[in-house]
Amino acid sequence: MRMLITGATGMLGQDLVAAVDQAGHEPRALSRADLDITDAPAVRRAISDAQPHVVVNCAAWTDVDGAESSSADALSVNGTGAGHVARAAAAAGAWTIQISSDYVFDGSKHEPYVESDPAAPLSAYGRSKLAGEREVAAGAPGRHTIVRSSWLFGAGGPCFPATILRLASEREELTVVEDQVGCPTFTRHLARALVTLAEQPIDGIVHLAGAGACSWYDFARQIVSNAGFDCDVKPGRTRDLARPAPRPAYSVLATERGSDAPVLPGWREGLSAYMAAGEVGAR
Ligand SMILES: NC(=O)c1ccc[n+]([C@@H]2O[C@H](COP(=O)([O-])OP(=O)(O)OC[C@H]3O[C@@H](n4cnc5c(N)ncnc54)[C@H](OP(=O)(O)O)[C@@H]3O)[C@@H](O)[C@H]2O)c1
């Protein structure tokens, strides 16, 4: 199977290219320099030339705080650009897998969000990702999967564990928010699940995130403990950070797709795999 991956040099994109190759499929990896998804004619040309069976759109504006002051730019990549990809894939007879986010939810629920829960994004980034979901659904009806995931970490990009490891090696004390709860997801685990989905496509929205849930504070404590650092992690509050973009207080993802949906290992397992591979040195 030929799989075209946009945003292929991003954190998830890199692991997906490797997972496609390892599964014996043929990756066609396109970086932003190869293909800017906001350029509709270029997207049509690239997908038509490659003749893929599946297109996975990993390209995105991922600067959550920056999106607040550049919402039109974020929307043009995450919304309009995603639509270009889906329409071009449908025209070429390919299946589209679009990566979306837990930030489409407002976080007011107290139990895990399933696919049919109403989206109500709090931030410009969340609104742009929801716009992308709608563009993809309209552009490739009956031929797309929208994968919502959350709190990604991996070797191929700056991420929370890398930041905590750096800070914990420099300081005796760290404060990390405990009033945001979600599902940390190792990109290598997500990438494998995306290959499974490409082999057995599911139409519509699917939630795929590391099993279990925790706060950023819990996550940081686990990272510091795994690394054996002597750093005291203290619980903090989101309001004290005063970041431009609001985040959902609770964005744990679960699935109502039953056995159709791939199941990811737990977030602790993902963290151990990330750290065991020595990937922390990559940053
Ligand atoms: N990170 C998370 O915690 C998280 C959580 C939930 C969902 N997601 C979603 O997961 C997906 C992958 O995220 P990630 O963490 O791997 O992000 P990432 O590391 O920032 O990768 C995104 C990639 O998209 C590329 N890109 C940006 N604008 C583009 C454009 N106009 N055309 C083509 N490529 C473009 C970037 O290229 P440059 O680097 O050259 O700009 C980068 O290679 C995204 O859809 C994101 O919204 C992420």
Side-chain angles (χ1 to χ4, degrees):
M1 177 168 56
R2 196 158 39 252
M3 288 176 67
L4 186 147
I5 297 145
T6 60
T9 51
M11 183 166 64
L12 176 60
Q14 290 180 48
D15 276 347
L16 182 57
V17 172
V20 169
D21 192 42
Q22 274 155 24
H25 301 302
E26 188 189 333
R28 177 83 176 86
L30 298 181
S31 69
R32 181 186 195 152
D34 299 323
L35 178 65
D36 181 336
I37 65 163
T38 64
D39 181 344
V43 171
R44 275 198 299 276
R45 243 185 345 265
I47 293 180
S48 157
D49 287 353
Q51 286 295 303
H53 301 97
V54 175
V55 176
V56 188
N57 183 29
C58 293
W61 175 294
T62 54
D63 176 359
V64 174
D65 287 319
E68 292 298 310
S69 53
S70 304
S71 58
D73 291 335
L75 187 62
S76 111
V77 182
N78 293 350
T80 319
H84 295 332
V85 172
R87 276 188 297 279
W95 190 273
T96 299
I97 298 179
Q98 164 69 11
I99 313 301
S100 192
S101 166
D102 56 327
Y103 283 13
V104 300
F105 295 118
D106 66 9
S108 59
K109 243 185 127 179
H110 301 289
E111 59 189 55
Y113 282 94
V114 292
E115 289 86 349
S116 60
D117 280 321
L122 298 174
S123 62
Y125 169 78
R127 288 189 288 279
S128 72
K129 294 301 290 182
L130 182 59
E133 293 188 4
R134 290 177 175 158
E135 287 272 355
V136 168
R143 290 195 60 77
H144 70 271
T145 311
I146 289 161
V147 173
R148 292 193 186 127
S149 195
S150 71
W151 294 22
L152 299 188
F153 63 96
C159 61
F160 183 79
T163 303
I164 294 298
L165 285 164
R166 179 174 52 77
L167 294 175
S169 71
E170 297 165 359
R171 300 183 190 176
E172 287 175 3
E173 189 180 300
L174 278 180
T175 301
V176 181
V177 296
E178 69 165 351
D179 54 357
Q180 291 174 43
V181 174
C183 306
T185 303
F186 183 35
T187 46
R188 195 183 298 163
H189 289 163
L190 178 59
R192 283 191 203 132
L194 292 172
V195 173
T196 303
L197 263 185
E199 291 164 342
Q200 294 154 8
I202 299 176
D203 188 22
I205 301 172
V206 181
H207 288 180
L208 283 186
C214 65
S215 68
W216 290 115
Y217 163 73
D218 299 325
F219 193 19
R221 277 172 55 103
Q222 189 70 55
I223 294 162
V224 169
S225 158
N226 283 15
F229 283 129
D230 190 16
C231 173
D232 191 15
V233 183
K234 295 194 174 311
R237 311 290 298 171
T238 299
R239 64 167 179 265
D240 295 330
L241 290 180
R243 294 173 86 177
R247 268 86 169 161
Y250 180 93
S251 59
V252 176
L253 298 177
T255 185
E256 56 193 359
R257 294 300 205 137
S259 57
D260 286 350
V263 176
L264 267 62
W267 66 266
R268 283 188 183 81
E269 204 178 314
L271 178 62
S272 296
Y274 168 84
M275 293 178 72
E279 295 175 346
V280 296
R283 274 151 306 274

